[in-house]
Amino acid sequence: MDFNFTEEQEMVRDGLSRLVREQYDWETRRAAIASDAGWRPEIWAQLAELGILGMPFSEEDGGFGGGAVDAMIVMEEFGKGLVVEPFVPTVVCAGGFLKHAGTPAQKEEHIGGIVDGSRVFAFAYAEPRGRYDYADLETTAKKDGDSYVLNGHKAVVIGAPWASHLVVTARTSGERRDHDGVSVFVLAKDTEGVVTRDYETVDGRRASEVYFENVSLPSDALIGEEGAALPLIERVTDEAIAAQCAEACGAMKVAHAMTLEYSKQRKQFGVPIGKFQVLQHRMVDMYTAYEQSVSLTYLATLRLNASETERKRAASAAKVGVGQAARLIGQESVQIHGGNGVTDEYAIGHYFKRLTIFESEFGDVDHHMKRHVSLASQR
Amino acid sequence: MNLEFTPEEQAFREEVRRFIEENHPKHLEGMGNREDMSPEDMTAWHKILGKKGWSAPAWPVEYGGTGWTPTQRYIWSEENARVGTFMPLPFGIAMVGPVIYTFGNEAQKQQHLPGILSGDVWWCQGYSEPGAGSDLASLKTTAVRDGDHYIINGQKTWTTLAQYADWGFFLCRTDPDAAKPQEGISFILIDMKTPGVEVKPIKLLDGSYEVNETWLTDVRVPVENLVGEENKGWTYAKFLLAHERSGIAGVARSKRAVEKLREIAAAEMLDGEPLINDFDFARKVSQLEIDLAALEITELRTLAGEQAGKGPGPESSILKIKGTEIQQRLTELTLEAVGTYGAPLYGNIANVPGDAGSNQYPVGPDYARHAAATYFNMRKTSIYGGSNEIQRNIITKMILGL
Ligand SMILES: Cc1cc2nc3c(=O)[nH]c(=O)nc-3n(C[C@H](O)[C@H](O)[C@H](O)COP(=O)(O)OP(=O)(O)OC[C@H]3O[C@@H](n4cnc5c(N)ncnc54)[C@H](O)[C@@H]3O)c2cc1C
Ligand SMILES: Cc1cc2nc3c(=O)[nH]c(=O)nc-3n(C[C@H](O)[C@H](O)[C@H](O)COP(=O)(O)OP(=O)(O)OC[C@H]3O[C@@H](n4cnc5c(N)ncnc54)[C@H](O)[C@@H]3O)c2cc1C
């Protein structure tokens, strides 16, 4: 057993921590998310330069041979600063599909661009009526000779306004919710027939509704085996879950620290409010929930290469535990900040908002509790 | 014991229902969402009620009240919740009005009560300050006598909807040397157009502008605007806080919101079935309904006590705590229900010129649009009106005797 990070990992953490502290301060972030672009390509370029965007790829694919633990370290630091740049969609999701199932030609085509920051991806998987089921697809890709014709509507595609490319899930055969017949495609966003409507999200990011209107895709747009992508999607989204749990841990750590600090400064009835035992105990519960979340995040991260059942159980366990902690810590932080907690001016509310939306990404607590229950019999 | 309403009460319900049916503006039905409403929308129903003589059900008849029993008032609020009317803002009817008719002089009653009843005069509440929140008695805003005027200086904050207010009621320190912080405070009415009053909006988490900072710089207020006796303001402030507690639990509105939640969960799909058929989700809705049923009967028991002549006591803290917890869980569950479409930022909220808001077109189903904003906004309910921690402290002391 070893819960230590390597020297290199410590260096990455320190470097990122400095970047977030120095260039992602609150006012700069606020201005950036309110700007027309809504993000900072120059930060993206810097992440590429630091090797962050290439970290999880093997050296033969043009990366730096890191793994899930590295992604965890990165995401925790991002969570602390509420970084909006699309590391999960680009590096974890698109990168994951390419890494696990891409052909040599597809890797050649895309991974270099991810590593050097020139290609940005969004992962279009959710649908208006699919809830959290990756197989509940109305989007179809019909075989047409040597190509596919893609039609459908994807909901709340995070990072799509910034993306040059999309990874899309679609049904190539079978009935809605069948496990077979699901496929994954990669395409440039400017492909003819791709229509996007861009908007802001409540947690300060950007997303799009993406419509595919008879989009013609060459057969080499298919990633992995036709119709057999569901296990692949589950693997990649479990990786995304582990990464986002780490992000949530970073955000919870800061929210807790800010609340603790506030409770020492804010005086009512002649004493710092942190002297009230009822608040003390709640801050203890928040702290405990945070520590438990870190443990579940480690578990999810370290089980990503275990058996499928072990991996899924660990990812769902993390999504349940971290989701519950995110709600507890978000709500209590706001409450202990009193009126200031519900203002746009104070940072704490923005941590609360990010933690709120985190809960529903890649499945909410109920969804993953069910998945955990259903996997119990498979051990 | 008996839970049924009497035939008279049933007849009253019919009358009320008919009146609402015939008079409530249809385009405002179910709005109840302040962020989307203009100030005119917010007072429309108040003004209609003013003409009918129903805007202040709890006031004594001689000042323009209805003479309804607490049970009738309860029926009244239920029927309003059924169609989602926007009830009169509390600042005039529920707060300053009773202080004026109880402690004010004849001239103040003549001057202010009619505008409060009719809804023509918009009031705001200037109690809290940056350093005085839960500990209200530590407030610092000063009122210094200068002939027949007070000169008022200080900063208030969290003044709800002061951007539209004609008048405000303020707590100011008139005797800085009083022995205890609760003493030496006065209750003063201020015309918000007086020079030196400056209202600056505060943006809330959900993007709305419902509260303000209110700056008072050398504001000259005639001494006639003092309510009751100088330095006795704390007594009136406490009277006000304890006064209109009925409706504080928001039971009728929460019942309506549960129905809405069920409608949403019937439209959302999970595994090809309506979400409401999912046991995990349905159980959470039922838990809410159970807690709400308990709260409803608790409120009715409190009302029955009032009807029998017992004043509202510290039990109202139970109503505040449970009522707001239920409201918050309702908004949580609604956000859970809408799933992925909780994320898009939609529609703010043009209360402040120059803030154009965000998305210009709607995304996702109608019912999802305000789910996140409402959830964020409702976090305030456990903070304001005496935070839920403070309510628990009150129960600790006043009921448990600890
Ligand atoms: C089954 C059992 C086995 C035990 N075995 C052992 C043993 O092997 N050896 C041994 O030495 N002792 C043993 N104990 C004793 C145990 O350590 C004491 O019961 C314990 O320390 C609590 O003390 P108390 O019962 O006097 O409760 P009290 O100290 O009187 O506490 C009563 C309540 O007040 C709360 N409270 C007290 N102080 C505070 C505070 N400052 N803030 C907030 N809440 C507070 C407590 O949490 C508790 O809820 C055992 C007790 C039990 C029940
Ligand atoms: C949306 C909104 C609208 C409002 N509208 C108005 C208005 O119109 N007019 C007006 O005058 N005011 C208004 N308020 C102010 C409101 O009454 C105060 O926010 C409230 O009293 C809490 O004060 P605070 O924000 O300073 O928090 P603080 O008093 O600083 O409290 C911070 C935290 O400490 C806790 N705490 C404080 N003291 C204790 C204690 N003794 N024991 C345990 N816990 C404690 C609180 O519960 C809270 O969780 C409004 C507030 C909000 C958020």
Side-chain angles (χ1 to χ4, degrees), chain A residues 131-132 155 177 197-202 209 266 268-269 282 327 331 335 338-339 342 344 353 366 370, chain B residues 130-131 133-135 158 203-205 272 278 280 284 332 336-337 339 341 343 345 359 361 375 382-383 389:
Chain A
R131 210 162 178 82
Y132 305 122
R177 292 191 304 283
R197 294 171 115 192
D198 301 346
Y199 50 86
E200 295 170 44
T201 60
V202 291
E209 297 300 287
R266 174 72 176 167
Q268 291 286 280
F269 305 99
R282 276 152 60 182
R327 187 176 298 189
Q331 292 182 347
Q335 180 71 18
V342 295
D344 185 65
K353 291 209 272 191
D366 279 2
K370 281 197 188 85
Chain B
S134 296
D135 182 14
W158 309 121
K203 188 174 186 179
L204 293 185
L205 258 193
D278 175 63
D280 286 335
K284 289 193 273 192
E332 264 175 67
E336 274 179 41
Y341 275 120
L345 176 66
N359 301 316
Y361 47 80
Y375 170 62
S382 52
I383 295 167
E389 287 78 16

Side-chain angles (χ1 to χ4, degrees), chain B residues 57-373:
Chain B
W59 289 19
V61 177
E62 57 172 314
Y63 296 120
T66 55
W68 293 343
T69 63
T71 309
Q72 284 176 309
R73 271 146 50 194
Y74 184 80
I75 291 170
W76 169 242
S77 64
E78 269 206 317
E79 289 304 313
N80 275 280
R82 242 172 39 84
V83 292
T85 65
F86 190 85
M87 293 297 269
L89 291 165
F91 308 107
I93 298 287
M95 295 179 165
V96 75
V99 171
I100 291 175
Y101 67 64
T102 310
F103 303 104
N105 57 36
E106 228 17 73
Q108 288 166 341
K109 293 180 200 171
Q110 301 269 341
Q111 182 185 357
H112 294 299
L113 296 185
I116 294 174
L117 285 167
S118 68
D120 288 320
V121 180
W122 190 304
W123 285 83
C124 66
Q125 177 188 30
Y127 276 21
S128 304
E129 298 182 7
S134 296
D135 182 14
L136 185 56
S138 66
L139 63 90
K140 291 201 168 63
T141 296
T142 54
V144 178
R145 268 301 268 272
D146 176 28
D148 53 5
H149 280 78
Y150 287 110
I151 312 291
I152 301 182
N153 279 287
Q155 187 197 345
K156 296 290 176 181
T157 188
W158 309 121
T159 348
T160 298
L161 295 173
Q163 66 266 47
Y164 307 128
D166 305 299
W167 280 81
F169 51 100
F170 287 78
L171 292 180
C172 307
R173 198 163 287 289
T174 33
D175 178 7
D177 304 320
K180 288 204 282 177
Q182 288 87 333
E183 292 163 6
I185 292 172
S186 296
F187 192 103
I188 298 174
L189 310 179
I190 301 180
D191 182 338
M192 296 296 281
K193 280 171 229 59
T194 318
V197 178
E198 197 190 346
V199 171
K200 290 188 194 159
I202 299 174
K203 188 174 186 179
L204 293 185
L205 258 193
D206 60 337
S208 69
Y209 291 94
E210 63 179 56
V211 293
N212 301 272
E213 294 177 354
T214 304
W215 298 75
L216 304 157
T217 314
D218 294 329
V219 179
R220 287 179 67 83
V221 176
V223 185
E224 296 101 83
N225 290 6
L226 172 76
V227 176
E229 284 176 56
E230 198 172 35
N231 296 332
K232 289 276 184 286
W234 191 250
T235 315
Y236 317 140
K238 273 200 316 195
F239 165 89
L240 179 155
L241 290 174
H243 190 76
E244 173 79 45
R245 284 280 162 89
S246 81
I248 187 181
V251 170
R253 307 239 154 211
S254 290
K255 276 163 84 174
R256 179 72 194 93
V258 174
E259 278 172 36
K260 190 100 196 46
L261 173 61
R262 283 192 175 281
E263 285 164 27
I264 292 172
E268 284 287 314
M269 301 300 277
L270 171 68
D271 287 341
E273 292 240 15
L275 175 62
I276 196 65
N277 293 356
D278 175 63
F279 184 76
D280 286 335
F281 193 84
R283 152 186 254 155
K284 289 193 273 192
V285 181
S286 280
Q287 182 70 59
L288 256 172
E289 286 179 322
I290 291 162
D291 293 347
L292 194 49
L295 182 63
E296 180 169 26
I297 304 298
T298 306
E299 184 172 35
L300 287 170
R301 285 166 57 206
T302 316
L303 286 179
E306 252 180 81
Q307 210 148 330
K310 282 202 288 176
E315 296 81 9
S316 61
S317 291
I318 298 178
L319 303 181
K320 158 85 192 334
I321 294 169
K322 294 316 289 184
T324 55
E325 285 178 356
I326 287 170
Q327 288 158 27
Q328 291 182 336
R329 264 169 43 218
L330 258 163
T331 60
E332 264 175 67
L333 213 43
T334 305
L335 182 58
E336 274 179 41
V338 304
T340 311
Y341 275 120
L345 176 66
Y346 177 73
N348 14 302
I349 300 163
N351 285 357
V352 155
D355 193 323
S358 57
N359 301 316
Q360 305 305 315
Y361 47 80
V363 171
D366 283 357
Y367 57 68
R369 239 151 259 165
H370 291 285

